[in-house]
Amino acid sequence: MAKKETIRVNGYEHISFEPPLTYTKEELITRSKEFYTWLDQRRSIRMFSDKEVPRVVIENIILSASTAPSGAHKQPWTFCAISNPSLKSKIREAAEVEEKISYESRMSERWKKDLEPLGTDMNKPFLEIAPWLIIAFKKAYDVDQEGNKHNNYYVNESVGIACGMMITAIHNAGLVTLTHTPSPMNFLAKLLKRPSNERAFILFPVGYPGEKVFVPNITRKSLQEVSRFYE
Ligand code: IYR
């Protein structure tokens, strides 16, 4: 690799950026189309196999998520990966307590009607069956060695982007997930003994799909419905 050139900006070192491979116009079109076709095969899966997934796969998925851009490059996230069966059971138990209250009294009738086609309910067996749970925690602020607090910026946007990239990394590995958001989620920080600057954001069960899996027969909005071009 060619030696990086350096310049100074505001007194900070910047290094020359080697552009990624450049493609012909035809290659651009094919690659973008193929990526879309591949990504469009992703589905949220609620039925998991208990087949083991090596820890290194989870590490690579977390590293992929952590390449996300973030406000002032603060990377305001911690990804907790859980394979410990008794911890998974505790998480399932606590999540189902909250979900029972949500489905029975917190969620509106209209909300539950909207969820009917998806077939979700208060039972969350995947929290025990999936070999791994990855929980994204957002850091409202950072705390340094001396205990001083430092601001983070655009935390929801940053962690949301990282989670999207994680979902893509899971799909790329040939594994499946779903975005599980028990509400309220503070039991997760408690069970995992997270510091007070961390709040649970989304929980992702990760694993292989179960042997025979059914998903809702739903489609995605068309390009016309989700976009407007101003040329
Ligand atoms: N958090 C609940 C309910 C739920 C809400 C939405 I919006 C969904 O798209 C799916 C589920 C649950 O996990 O069941």
Side-chain angles (χ1 to χ4, degrees), residues 46 99 103 107 111 115 118 120-121 124 179-183:
R46 295 188 158 73
E99 292 294 79
Y103 277 86
M107 289 155 71
W111 187 353
L115 286 177
L118 307 179
T120 65
D121 60 31
K124 307 295 173 191
T179 49
H180 179 45
T181 49
S183 173

Side-chain angles (χ1 to χ4, degrees), residues 10-53:
N10 296 332
Y12 290 86
E13 185 174 86
H14 284 219
I15 52 174
S16 53
F17 170 68
E18 309 300 337
L21 294 174
T22 47
Y23 300 106
T24 64
K25 205 196 299 175
E26 289 69 33
E27 285 169 329
L28 277 186
I29 295 169
T30 329
R31 286 176 62 88
S32 59
K33 177 75 204 293
E34 284 175 358
F35 183 77
Y36 159 60
T37 306
W38 166 80
L39 198 54
D40 194 32
Q41 289 164 3
R42 185 202 59 79
R43 294 297 309 255
S44 290
I45 298 297
R46 295 188 158 73
M47 296 161 186
F48 285 78
S49 154
D50 61 1
K51 187 175 166 188
E52 201 185 304
V53 170

Side-chain angles (χ1 to χ4, degrees), residues 95-125:
E96 286 181 340
V97 167
E98 292 297 354
E99 292 294 79
K100 185 166 166 31
I101 305 171
S102 292
Y103 277 86
E104 286 180 352
S105 58
R106 284 195 281 243
M107 289 155 71
S108 65
E109 287 309 313
R110 173 175 287 191
W111 187 353
K112 282 188 276 190
K113 200 93 200 126
D114 278 337
L115 286 177
E116 264 175 22
L118 307 179
T120 65
D121 60 31
M122 63 182 80
N123 301 306
K124 307 295 173 191

